Amino acid sequence: MRGNVEWLFLCRKSNISQEVSTDPYWTRSDPRFSVFGSIGFNRKSGEIVFFDGRKDWSEFDWSKPFVPPGGRNYSDEVGRAAAKKIYDPTFQISCHACHDNKSPYVIDPHIAQSRVGFRSAGDSRSTTFSLGDFLPRRPRLPGAPFRVVGSGYTGTYRNELSQARTVEDPTGNCTSCHTLTTQVTGRRFAADAAGHEPTVTLPTWVQLLELHEEQIVYAEIAAHRTDWAVGSGGIHPWMLPGSGNELSSGTPRLSSEDWRKLSDCLWGAGGSGCGYRPLYTRCPAPEAEDEGSSLADAEIHVLPPPPGEEMKTRLLRVSWTFRNSYGGVPERDDIRINVAVSAGAIPATGDPPQSGEYPSIEQAKGTSIEAISGPVSSAGSSLLIENVSFGGHTKWSDPTPSMSPRSFQIDLPGECNRRTLIRLMPKRFCFDQSQAAFSEADHLIYADVQCGELR
């Protein structure tokens, strides 16, 4: 863990039958395992990223270090090449379907406490892992930001991510303490916790097929449950309404009618009472509320011409600073600035320009442009320079970590005895180069280029 960012590394032992045997492979001292995964999570921004080991590898070894995804930096060619051999580039496993409760953990106070049920203080079998009747406060509520990042992964699962929803229990039993979704946490874990088979009152054909598959999984899980877990002294169901982890015989389980209403919601088949809202939040625009970034100190300096030279233009040095503290990550480098430039007459009165005289917001976004050269384009009556980075930064290099504002500078020609008007437009690349989130703040600066009489 470093700052707001934590990493989980999952080393799972498994086999084709998924049954534990007496083979040495299953012993703790044997470092071999078959399924490798890693999850990175930013607790402040809610950004989460998934990496899985290659699926054509049947064996990994936790006694040896693993290369970080993408290597340690851009220049780590050896590490980047090794990472390509370890991690699955096809993203076959939909990790987000289970790790969907606003945190990287499947089992936490948001959704499941599968090992903390207790029936009585005198039953050591029930209290070994128990938290008693204490239900921890949820660290992240349903409305907290939560966003999967990584162009490859989000491109593969774009449709699923856009359709996932959080759910409110219309009966008021469950979601005051737990975050449930229309993904696996709802369809599988909630059913297991409540001790009810997944169901949909009026399923569509697609839901009917998916429901049948989930009911098979539910039956397989039930077949592996111990006699103690399902018996009169056991812990299944292991979450009961209104009583935290108290599983005594006097505590009623969730009724079949209440479960039917909740299950309809969890399968996306409920009504307005389900309180559906998008599970995954959008990429925040720079300078949005609580996002933590800001552009400041924008100014233009008109530089004098070289000694002895008469010029029809002057050099305009445009500078500003930008603080990108989103998520508290000093190495973050997802902000670029579009610079839209136009020119006009200097009014005889010298009055400052009105907002409508500056390049428009759409021109600064590059909504409709004609390429000129490299990052320079024509945007209607304005000139657009896209994707300006901070001073000293070069492409495909790691930025120097900084939580302080970074300095930006760009030099432009300014026509003599004309007014130059500039709109600065911060934008965030959202791990998908086809999309960017633009700031809604106006950053407008101008300069009157007074050169005297021209010959």
Side-chain angles (χ1 to χ4, degrees):
M1 180 181 294
R2 186 178 65 175
N4 297 318
V5 178
E6 59 183 309
W7 284 89
L8 284 73
F9 299 94
L10 310 174
C11 305
R12 299 184 178 101
K13 288 180 180 282
S14 184
N15 57 21
I16 295 177
S17 70
Q18 298 186 359
E19 297 288 346
V20 178
S21 70
T22 57
D23 188 284
Y25 167 78
W26 291 100
T27 61
R28 178 181 297 182
S29 60
D30 193 323
R32 294 176 298 162
F33 64 99
S34 61
V35 181
F36 173 58
S38 58
I39 302 173
F41 181 65
N42 187 310
R43 296 191 309 275
K44 184 175 181 180
S45 67
E47 293 164 296
I48 190 166
V49 64
F50 304 106
F51 295 97
D52 251 4
R54 295 185 66 98
K55 300 312 169 188
D56 53 359
W57 281 25
S58 59
E59 189 174 290
F60 297 87
D61 186 339
W62 66 51
S63 67
K64 301 175 183 178
F66 288 92
V67 178
R72 288 175 170 78
N73 50 54
Y74 277 120
S75 60
D76 183 13
E77 295 182 2
V78 174
R80 292 170 71 86
K84 287 184 178 180
K85 296 180 180 179
I86 295 175
Y87 298 97
D88 174 23
T90 62
F91 306 105
Q92 295 182 41
I93 304 299
S94 53
C95 307
H96 68 279
C98 291
H99 298 272
D100 64 347
N101 48 323
K102 300 287 184 174
S103 87
Y105 304 98
V106 174
I107 306 297
D108 75 358
H110 266 273
I111 169 63
Q113 294 174 307
S114 63
R115 292 194 289 263
V116 297
F118 74 101
R119 194 163 288 278
S120 68
D123 186 346
S124 61
R125 296 173 302 178
S126 294
T127 59
T128 300
F129 299 102
S130 178
L131 296 179
D133 60 0
F134 173 67
L135 190 63
R137 179 180 64 86
R138 287 185 293 175
R140 294 177 59 79
L141 297 175
F146 191 55
R147 181 167 68 98
V148 181
V149 298
S151 299
Y153 190 98
T154 56
T156 301
Y157 294 105
R158 186 181 307 281
N159 186 55
E160 291 92 333
L161 294 173
S162 66
Q163 293 184 0
R165 297 289 183 268
T166 58
V167 170
E168 292 181 12
D169 184 354
T171 68
N173 287 308
C174 299
T175 54
S176 60
C177 295
H178 306 282
T179 296
L180 298 179
T181 79
T182 56
Q183 298 191 136
V184 172
T185 52
R187 295 185 176 189
R188 184 169 303 169
F189 298 152
D192 185 64
H196 286 285
E197 186 178 89
T199 183
V200 176
T201 303
L202 297 171
T204 64
W205 278 107
V206 173
Q207 288 172 334
L208 194 62
L209 294 174
E210 293 176 337
L211 189 64
H212 178 66
E213 293 179 359
E214 194 58 43
Q215 288 170 342
I216 292 176
V217 172
Y218 183 85
E220 290 176 345
I221 293 173
H224 283 76
R225 205 177 301 278
T226 64
D227 293 339
W228 170 76
V230 298
S232 59
I235 61 168
H236 184 66
W238 45 268
M239 288 300 292
L240 303 176
S243 303
N245 305 74
E246 170 62 61
L247 304 179
S248 65
S249 57
T251 306
R253 62 184 291 182
L254 191 67
S255 71
S256 296
E257 179 60 20
D258 282 356
W259 169 250
R260 182 190 62 76
K261 295 177 181 178
L262 175 58
S263 189
D264 279 346
C265 291
L266 299 173
W267 282 82
S272 59
C274 297
Y276 291 122
R277 63 192 301 176
L279 168 62
Y280 298 103
T281 51
R282 296 179 61 85
C283 170
E287 304 181 290
E289 184 178 2
D290 298 327
E291 181 269 341
S293 67
S294 59
L295 188 151
D297 307 318
E299 56 186 13
I300 303 177
H301 291 288
V302 181
L303 303 185
E309 293 189 17
E310 293 279 352
M311 298 175 61
K312 294 184 179 181
T313 61
R314 292 289 187 266
L315 186 66
L316 304 182
R317 179 150 294 167
V318 186
S319 62
W320 64 92
T321 63
F322 194 91
R323 183 174 184 265
N324 185 12
S325 59
Y326 175 51
V329 180
E331 298 85 356
R332 185 178 290 277
D333 182 33
D334 58 352
I335 295 292
R336 295 293 182 267
I337 313 295
N338 283 4
V339 181
V341 186
S342 65
I346 301 174
T349 59
D351 291 340
Q354 301 296 312
S355 59
E357 298 177 55
Y358 286 90
S360 70
I361 292 175
E362 294 305 311
Q363 287 173 337
K365 288 182 178 180
T367 303
S368 179
I369 59 176
E370 294 183 9
I372 297 176
S373 177
V376 181
S377 303
S378 171
S381 59
S382 300
L383 193 71
L384 179 64
I385 301 97
E386 294 187 275
N387 304 331
V388 177
S389 186
F390 55 88
H393 184 227
T394 56
K395 191 174 183 179
W396 308 123
S397 67
D398 295 288
T400 302
S402 175
M403 290 302 291
S404 299
R406 300 185 190 273
S407 297
F408 290 70
Q409 178 180 295
I410 185 171
D411 291 343
L412 301 170
E415 188 178 352
C416 277
N417 301 320
R418 297 273 288 172
R419 172 171 284 177
T420 298
L421 303 104
I422 295 176
R423 179 185 291 273
L424 301 175
M425 175 68 76
K427 68 179 179 181
R428 166 169 284 117
F429 285 112
C430 302
F431 291 94
D432 181 346
Q433 296 300 311
S434 67
Q435 296 182 1
F438 292 89
S439 172
E440 295 184 2
D442 282 331
H443 297 290
L444 309 174
I445 53 176
Y446 77 99
D448 291 335
V449 184
Q450 303 281 9
C451 303
E453 184 178 353
L454 295 178
R455 299 176 182 175

